């Protein structure tokens, strides 16, 4: 029988978590509860004696100083409604898992297989009615996709008594273990229907290619010899679909594209990736010497110093985060950590970056079916990334939160991670790895459940009614942390020859990739450890259950490998071996159930042929009213969601664990000014550092995606240069998030969306080659649409550009806050009338036309000159001008430093004061320079668009004179308040 | 003879590398030892002079911060650690390590026996926060880790740092013994008096760290190991600061004590 331990804070003590929830409900739902108390429920489904139960209740579950607890008795008091929320069967329950460990430690004995603890939470609500309680449960506490919940009034509880409120979440579903043969000899429409029914996400051409492969005589002969039926088995079809998914194969970036530009000229592009992404890196590689491993591993690797290499990767986790913001986002961050753990022979994660895109949290329209309110998505995603990063002990050193109304259709969750690895270990270079025939296949970490099945194919589709709930997983940072600790020990002992992470596509993907080197693999799926019984073999192979990595272990090291894993409490299981047979073979209970030609699996996907044609958008020129006093306008722009302070969110990330912090996210006298780039010094005793920054400008896409891309790259780069990074030492990552760009019935404007993708890639190539930035890794997510019941929302075309620079001497970097009165204030870089897509126009409900343009040749020279000046110690502060324009950068620099500025923008030469203050022209900085160093600074920067506009002053006011006289005059305190208030949650 | 520090690792202890580095910089030989390796060979502890339980999220803070690790240490290594303390050696718990020491009852160690008399629980804000705080040493404390120190800046990075004694008797006893080693303070060094953010979590009596009556066992929520270099400080780009981070002094004190009394 299951026993229930309830734990609560006694009524005479405050319950901070309950109070925090009450204020969140007031903010988010407008429901004002009189009081909320939170109770923790541990349901123990294990054979424990009464004495044992009492011991764990007292010694494990109850804090003797501040808590009370009871066994099989309700502790809720003084409430009107009681809500209990727990997981659905099969959903990762981290607290439950840790509780089992705690029980075993406390009792000094193991629990039996299948015995478990289930964690649930009770919310005792006082001063709400039933409708409100129900709304609280649905909209704030429980997500029906992953959680079950119960609601009872005080009276109902009187009748209900001490019985449990929720069912035990035990998985009882059993999948059909029978292997099905699937006949593909059917007409095109039937093939398309089959692809849809099985969530294969393959188009008719691809289905036909598979059918033809099975028709082929060689295939048929091989299958007869292998004892397999002539048609594909279900697992074979699933493996092919997963391997060929857009998510894994990047088919759109590989397609042959017939592109017609704005002038009507048509040309053929032989693959966007090959032409523009790899093309840029190949070109830049001729001029730099620090690339180590690009494009083919889990992450890009470059040289850090003589001893270490540096790995960088960013991923998106959009669709799962739309369905379950907390679990989806947490899976995103621990997932990209695993890319770094699996890069080369295994890198240590040294920082995270997190960039989110949401619709406004103040959205008050109707939320389309299956979507969650953006406020809930924001809170959930933030909490998931916060817990994932903090618990893993990886500092979050840079990021952004971006708002645009069309992210209602799909939120974007970008998670990035940097890693460090010694360049050689035991004399062996660490960037290469190769599984050899005869190496054993070992899976480590978490167990396999139905979680995340079809994640790879699901993310290759738009969000629709039938989007599977199983596509959602919840990360488990502690299981991963144990595995990471183990991995480094095994790595340093030389116990494996190859390693990769199990991400999208699960074992199917990781083993399919690893098997390419030796040329084959045999896998015994019945050996895989399962969370619960009842998985079909194909589900075992495709499950995206988290926190798993696959290793190739030479037979002579297997005992040492498994022994170390046991001592570190990491589950490790031998699943088979790598071969040189040319086939990926799966067995179940001794029977062969799949044998796929490695060549066909990896190279058999037909190349897409697509058409792209630019349809220039009809844009309306902006209408601007030039008021005299622009102080209120400045405050409004400072309070725009894209500009406003995100400090309350960022403070909740640990940004200095590992003790490497040099420049923190928030800087200045009171640690509240927005930094440009995060800087760390990852090797103790060394002054060498890494700076990381990001650029993301989706607002510009509605005018022209070419300039969106150029501006995103420029934003990331100037953030790095602003702290002192040098050109020629910067590496980049491109993460594309696009609405479906393939023309079809539901995407009639596919050609235009694809043409915009082409223009984006052109800009990527041109700016990166001009800046000498190699693209060392990247990812694309191409189906970011929402389409249910006639509502279609396509996200704005978005590229996150992450840039990282190796810094020679961290002691020379500068922060963004002004330092002392008397320093000279400069604008570096021309300000033009480029209000198109600006925050200013957005506030006035306009888009405009004049989108900012980057001149990379001019900018590069300027950047080189500025970083020289910083290295020579001529700069007191430097801040990049981006969202909101010059006025925002000036205000931020001033209030961060706590000193005012007296400025005159006449030297900028603009007719319009609005444009001077709020235009978002690129490649600009606000720089302050100590009095004695102005001359030297001007000598270095003259000719690079340098404008002296005034001084830092000893009072706390910002005064800006423009065409119409003193047009901005405000205290730093009111400017800071305007900037902090909107998101100061 | 060298001073040897054992830095505990495993199960979500996250700050072992920088804690080890801090001890090395302070002149000790630091060894990172996995909890299970120590549990398999508790006698190993005898070769060390200092035991450090670093910060992190052991077992994900599941159930309660530090609880599961505290239990594991108590059940598997309780005797060895007791012997270590009785031998006059030094123990420090930082952040999650402090939570562990408090919950396994090595602190406050009123009568020489392990017993939980205090706790560290959810911040009043109910949030995890990373924030630099000002700390003031209690002049009367015997804490050997804080010798010759008066105040310190360091980051707190926790969601469960609110210090609560069982009752007033426990609080008075802590005060009387000088066991309240470190308090949250304002920038000017005045008591925070519970006011956020100077007192970042609502700790009773602004308590940020306590020691045992001998001053050798010490636990604190802020992270001194995160302030080892000048460039770790949030205002190093605008203030004149010594090359060495102020947090290092704490480790130097321990190493100096061990070198004098234990080696």
């Amino acid at each position: 029988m299951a026993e229930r331990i309830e734990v609560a804070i006694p009524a005479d003590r405050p319950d901070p978590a309950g109070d925090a929830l009450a204020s969140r409900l007031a903010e988010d739902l407008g429901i004002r509860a009189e009081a909320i108390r939170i109770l923790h429920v541990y349901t123990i489904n294990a054979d424990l004696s009464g004495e044992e139960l009492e011991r764990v209740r007292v010694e494990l579950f109850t804090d003797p100083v501040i808590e009370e607890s009871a066994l099989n008795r309700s502790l809720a008091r003084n409430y009107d409604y009681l809500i209990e929320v727990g997981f659905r069967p099969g959903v990762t329950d981290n607290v439950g898992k840790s509780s089992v460990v705690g029980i075993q430690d406390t009792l000094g004995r193991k629990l039996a297989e299948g015995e478990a603890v289930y964690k649930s939470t009770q919310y005792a609500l006082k001063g709400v009615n039933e409708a409100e309680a129900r709304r609280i449960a649905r909209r704030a506490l429980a997500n029906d996709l992953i959680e079950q919940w119960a609601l009872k009034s005080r009276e109902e509880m009187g009748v209900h008594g001490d019985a449990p409120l929720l069912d035990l979440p035990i998985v009882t579903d059993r999948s059909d273990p029978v292997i099905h043969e699937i006949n593909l000899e059917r007409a095109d429409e039937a093939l398309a229907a089959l692809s849809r029914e099985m969530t294969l996400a393959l188009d008719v051409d691809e289905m036909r290619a598979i059918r033809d492969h099975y028709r082929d005589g060689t295939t048929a002969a091989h299958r007869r010899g292998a004892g397999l039926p002539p048609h594909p088995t279900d697992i074979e079809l699933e493996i092919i679909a997963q391997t060929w998914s857009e998510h894994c194969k990047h088919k759109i970036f590989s397609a042959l594209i017939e592109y017609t530009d704005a002038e009507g000229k048509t040309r053929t592009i032989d693959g966007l990736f090959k032409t523009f992404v790899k093309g840029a890196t190949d070109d830049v590689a001729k001029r730099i010497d620090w690339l180590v491993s690009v494009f083919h591993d889990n992450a890009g690797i470059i040289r850090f110093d003589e001893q270490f290499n540096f790995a960088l990767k960013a991923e998106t986790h959009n669709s799962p985060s739309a369905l379950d913001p907390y679990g989806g986002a947490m899976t995103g961050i621990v997932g990209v950590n695993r890319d770094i753990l699996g890069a080369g022979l295994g890198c240590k994660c040294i920082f995270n970056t997190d960039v989110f895109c949401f619709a406004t949290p103040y959205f008050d329209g109707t939320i389309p079916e299956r979507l969650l309110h953006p406020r809930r998505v924001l809170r959930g995603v933030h909490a998931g990334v916060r817990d994932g990063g903090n618990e893993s002990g990886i500092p979050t050193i840079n990021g952004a939160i971006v708002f645009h109304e069309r992210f209602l259709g799909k939120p974007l969750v970008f998670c990035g991670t940097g890693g460090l690895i010694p360049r050689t270990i035991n004399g062996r270079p660490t960037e290469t790895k190769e599984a050899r025939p005869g190496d054993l296949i070992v899976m480590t970490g978490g167990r396999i459940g139905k979680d995340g099945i079809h994640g790879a194919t699901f993310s290759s589709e738009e969000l629709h009614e039938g989007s599977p709930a199983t596509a959602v997983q919840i990360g488990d940072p502690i299981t991963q942390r144990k595995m990471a600790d183990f991995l480094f020990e095994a790595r340093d002992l030389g116990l494996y020859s190859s390693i990769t992470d199990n991400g999208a596509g699960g074992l199917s993907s990781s083993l399919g990739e690893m098997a390419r080197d030796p040329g084959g693999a045999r896998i015994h799926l019945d050996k895989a450890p399962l969370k619960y019984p009842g998985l079909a073999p194909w589900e075992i192979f495709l499950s995206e259950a988290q926190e798993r990595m696959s290793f190739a272990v030479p037979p002579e090291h297997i005992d040492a490998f498994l022994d170390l894993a046991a001592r570190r409490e990491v589950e490790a299981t031998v699943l088979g071996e790598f071969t040189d047979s040319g086939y990926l073979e799966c067995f179940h209970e001794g029977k062969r159930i799949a044998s796929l030609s490695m060549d066909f699996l990896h190279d058999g996907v037909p190349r897409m042929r697509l058409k792209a044609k630019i349809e220039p958008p009809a844009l309306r020129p902006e209408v601007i009213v030039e008021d005299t006093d622009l102080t209120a306008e400045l405050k409004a722009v400072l309070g725009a969601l894209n500009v406003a302070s995100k400090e309350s969110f960022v403070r909740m990330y640990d940004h200095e664990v590992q003790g490497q912090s040099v420049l923190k996210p928030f800087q200045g006298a009171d640690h509240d000014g927005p930094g440009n780039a995060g800087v760390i010094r990852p090797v103790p005793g060394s002054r060498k550092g890494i700076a990381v920054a990001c650029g993301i400008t989706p607002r510009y896409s509605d005018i022209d995606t070419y300039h969106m891309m150029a501006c995103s790259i420029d934003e990331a780069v100037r953030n790095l240069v602003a702290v002192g990074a040098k050109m020629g030492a910067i590496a980049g990552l491109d993460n594309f998030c696009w609405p479906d760009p393939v023309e079809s019935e539901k995407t009639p404007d596919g050609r235009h969306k694809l043409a915009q993708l082409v223009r984006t890639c052109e800009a990527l190539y041109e700016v990166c080659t001009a800046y000498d930035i190699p693209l060392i890794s990247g990812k694309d997510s191409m189906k970011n649409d929402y389409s249910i019941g006639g509502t279609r929302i396509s996200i704005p075309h978005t590229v996150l550009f992450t840039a990282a620079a190796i810094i020679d001497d961290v002691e020379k970097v500068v922060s963004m806050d002004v330092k002392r009165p008397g320093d000279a204030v400069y604008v570096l870089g021309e300000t033009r009338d480029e209000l198109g897509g600006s925050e200013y126009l957005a506030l006035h409900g306009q888009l405009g036309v004049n989108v900012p343009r980057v001149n990379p040749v001019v900018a590069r020279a300027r950047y080189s000159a500025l970083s020289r000046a910083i290295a020579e110690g001529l700069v007191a502060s430097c801040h990049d001008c981006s969202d909101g324009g010059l006025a925002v950068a000036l205000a931020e620099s001033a209030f961060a430093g706590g000193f005012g500025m007296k400025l005159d923008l006449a030297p900028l030469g603009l007719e319009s004061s609005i444009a001077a203050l709020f235009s978002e022209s690129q490649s600009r900085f606000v720089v302050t320079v100590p009095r004695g160093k102005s001359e030297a600074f001007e000598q270095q920067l003259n000719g690079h668009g340098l404008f002296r506009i005034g001084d830092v002053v000893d009072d706390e006011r910002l005064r800006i004179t423009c065409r119409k006289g003193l047009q901005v005059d405000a205290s730093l305190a009111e400017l800071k308040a305007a900037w902090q208030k909107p998101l100061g949650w | 003879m060298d001073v040897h520090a054992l830095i505990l690792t495993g199960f979500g202890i996250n700050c072992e590398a920088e804690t080890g580095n801090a001890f090395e910089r302070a002149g000790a030989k630091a060894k990172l030892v996995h909890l299970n390796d120590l549990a398999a060979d508790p006698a190993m502890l005898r070769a060390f002079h200092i035991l450090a339980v670093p910060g992190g999220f052991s077992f994900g803070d599941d159930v309660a911060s530090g609880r599961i690790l505290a239990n594991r240490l108590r059940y598997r290594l309780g005797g060895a650690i007791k012997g270590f303390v009785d031998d006059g050696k030094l123990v420090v718990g930082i952040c999650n390590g402090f939570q562990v020491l408090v919950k396994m009852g090595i602190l406050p160690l009123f009568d020489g026996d392990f017993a939980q008399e205090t706790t560290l629980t959810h911040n009043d804000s109910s949030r995890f926060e990373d924030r630099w705080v000002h700390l003031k040493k209690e002049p009367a404390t015997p804490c050997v880790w804080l010798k010759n120190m008066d105040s310190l800046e360091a980051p707190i990075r926790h969601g469960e740092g609110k210090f609560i004694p069982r009752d007033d008797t426990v609080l008075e006893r802590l005060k009387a013994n000088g066991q309240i080693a470190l308090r949250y303070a304002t920038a000017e060094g005045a008591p925070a008096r519970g006011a956020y953010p100077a007192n970042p979590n609502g700790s009773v009596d602004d308590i940020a760290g306590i020691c045992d009556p001998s001053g050798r066992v010490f636990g604190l929520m802020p992270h001194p190991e995160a302030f080892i270099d000048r460039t770790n400080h949030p205002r190093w780009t605008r203030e004149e600061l010594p090359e060495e981070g102020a947090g290092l002094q704490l480790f130097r004190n321990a190493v100096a004590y061990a070198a004098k009394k234990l080696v």
Side-chain angles (χ1 to χ4, degrees), chain A residues 657-894:
Chain A
V657 58
Q658 301 189 16
Q660 319 164 335
S661 173
V662 173
L663 283 182
K664 302 181 205 310
F666 285 88
Q667 303 167 7
D670 293 320
H671 319 162
D672 56 8
N676 301 302
V679 180
I680 56 169
R681 51 193 302 179
V683 178
S686 165
R687 283 162 73 151
K688 212 156 178 141
I690 295 169
V692 61
C694 61
I696 182 165
T697 57
R699 278 173 300 117
Y700 302 150
S701 287
D702 285 350
I703 302 177
D704 191 336
T705 54
Y706 182 95
H707 299 295
M708 175 277 290
M709 184 73 253
C711 291
S712 295
I713 302 168
D714 193 68
E715 182 181 16
V717 171
R718 66 180 187 265
N719 271 305
L720 293 176
V721 172
V723 302
K726 276 199 270 188
M727 300 304 285
I730 300 174
L733 300 181
D734 53 290
N735 282 82
F736 284 75
C737 284
W738 225 251
D740 188 359
V742 178
E743 187 181 29
S744 69
E745 217 167 276
K746 40 178 205 192
T747 312
D749 57 349
R751 288 189 187 196
H752 176 58
K753 284 173 170 163
L754 187 62
Q756 289 171 304
L757 184 64
V758 172
R759 278 187 64 70
T760 306
C761 289
E762 287 177 332
L764 183 69
Y765 180 88
E766 281 169 35
V767 179
C768 286
T769 50
Y771 284 173
D772 279 345
I773 297 178
L775 298 161
I776 61 171
S777 184
K779 211 63 192 271
D780 56 275
S781 163
M782 303 304 289
K783 308 275 166 155
N784 292 289
D785 305 273
Y786 167 89
S787 187
I788 291 179
T791 306
R792 186 164 177 87
I793 308 171
S794 295
I795 63 155
H797 309 333
T798 305
V799 182
L800 169 67
F801 196 81
T802 308
I806 307 300
I807 303 284
D808 290 334
D809 182 357
V810 294
E811 306 243 353
K812 298 248 168 73
V813 302
V814 295
S815 56
M816 53 71 66
D817 46 312
V818 302
K819 300 299 186 298
R820 61 193 78 76
D823 286 1
V825 180
Y826 297 88
V827 177
L828 177 60
E830 289 86 6
T831 304
R832 289 182 291 266
D833 188 347
E834 292 179 319
L835 283 163
S838 66
E839 283 300 326
Y840 176 84
L841 285 186
L843 277 180
H844 292 268
Q846 301 181 50
L847 178 64
V849 176
N850 292 330
V851 69
R853 287 158 192 257
V854 176
N855 181 331
V857 176
V858 170
R860 180 176 177 150
R862 177 181 305 149
Y863 293 165
S864 298
L866 176 60
S867 50
R868 262 199 310 277
I870 291 175
E872 288 172 21
L874 302 178
V875 171
S877 77
C878 185
H879 192 25
D880 114 279
C881 292
S882 55
D883 296 356
L886 176 59
V888 165
L890 290 166
E892 288 174 346
S893 305

Side-chain angles (χ1 to χ4, degrees), chain A residues 59 63 98 105 481 568-569 651 654-656 658 662 664 671 681 811 815 817-818 985, chain B residues 14 16 18 36-37 62 71-72 75-76 119 127 130 132 157 230-232 235-238:
Chain A
E59 294 183 26
D63 187 311
S98 293
D105 284 352
R481 177 74 210 191
R568 297 297 171 252
E569 296 178 39
R651 282 255 162 259
D654 189 334
H655 49 256
E656 44 199 330
Q658 301 189 16
V662 173
K664 302 181 205 310
H671 319 162
R681 51 193 302 179
E811 306 243 353
S815 56
D817 46 312
V818 302
W985 294 5
Chain B
N14 288 331
E16 69 274 15
E18 61 265 40
N36 282 5
D37 289 349
D62 296 339
N71 282 10
R72 183 169 283 199
Y75 301 132
R76 297 203 192 163
T119 198
R127 290 179 175 193
D130 179 337
W132 278 64
R157 310 193 310 250
R230 182 175 75 99
T231 54
N232 294 141
R235 296 185 309 280
W236 73 271
T237 59
R238 53 185 297 122

Side-chain angles (χ1 to χ4, degrees), chain B residues 132-150:
Chain B
W132 278 64
V133 294
H134 295 271
L135 300 159
K136 188 89 180 155
K137 177 183 145 184
E138 173 67 36
T141 184
C143 183
V144 304
W145 297 80
L146 297 175
K147 198 178 162 197
N148 300 327
M149 294 174 75
D150 168 56

Side-chain angles (χ1 to χ4, degrees), chain B residues 86-157:
Chain B
D86 290 345
D87 285 347
K89 293 180 174 177
L90 301 179
V91 179
V92 70
I94 299 168
C95 193
N96 192 226
F98 183 27
Q99 293 161 340
V100 168
L101 296 189
V102 154
K103 291 178 185 185
M104 69 183 286
I106 305 186
L107 283 172
L109 208 65
F110 283 142
D111 305 305
D113 288 322
F114 291 180
Q116 185 177 343
E117 301 285 359
T118 64
T119 198
L120 289 154
T121 186
H122 295 278
N123 299 349
D124 276 353
S125 65
S126 192
R127 290 179 175 193
F128 178 100
E129 280 196 336
D130 179 337
R131 173 184 296 287
W132 278 64
V133 294
H134 295 271
L135 300 159
K136 188 89 180 155
K137 177 183 145 184
E138 173 67 36
T141 184
C143 183
V144 304
W145 297 80
L146 297 175
K147 198 178 162 197
N148 300 327
M149 294 174 75
D150 168 56
S151 60
L152 173 70
E153 276 186 277
I156 55 106
R157 310 193 310 250

Side-chain angles (χ1 to χ4, degrees), chain A residues 164-237:
Chain A
L165 290 171
L166 301 176
D167 294 333
L168 271 186
I170 293 173
V171 179
T172 49
D173 287 359
R174 293 279 192 277
S175 294
D176 185 356
V178 178
I179 304 296
H180 297 275
E181 182 184 356
I182 295 159
N183 188 342
L184 296 184
E185 295 298 338
R186 38 181 121 186
D188 284 359
E189 302 85 75
L191 284 176
L194 180 71
S195 168
R196 260 196 316 278
E197 280 158 28
M198 291 182 68
T199 326
L200 298 177
L202 295 173
D203 68 17
V204 172
D205 280 349
E206 291 158 348
M207 292 296 283
R208 273 200 234 109
I210 300 168
R211 182 190 63 197
D212 294 348
H213 172 72
Y214 280 84
R215 277 181 186 171
D216 181 81
T218 322
T219 311
H222 169 74
R223 297 185 72 76
R224 276 194 301 276
L228 283 163
H231 300 298
T233 58
D234 52 9
I235 182 169
E236 288 178 324
L237 206 48

Side-chain angles (χ1 to χ4, degrees), chain B residues 142-204:
Chain B
C143 183
V144 304
W145 297 80
L146 297 175
K147 198 178 162 197
N148 300 327
M149 294 174 75
D150 168 56
S151 60
L152 173 70
E153 276 186 277
I156 55 106
R157 310 193 310 250
H158 61 244
E160 298 185 35
K162 179 177 182 175
F163 182 88
I164 303 179
R166 181 192 294 280
D167 51 30
D168 285 346
T169 318
V170 169
L171 182 62
E172 288 311 316
R173 223 172 146 185
L174 287 171
K175 278 187 196 167
N177 293 343
Q179 288 181 259
I180 299 169
L182 213 50
R183 284 194 170 89
Y184 299 108
T186 66
E188 294 73 36
R193 298 196 196 289
Y196 178 86
N199 176 335
N201 47 35
S203 282
V204 169

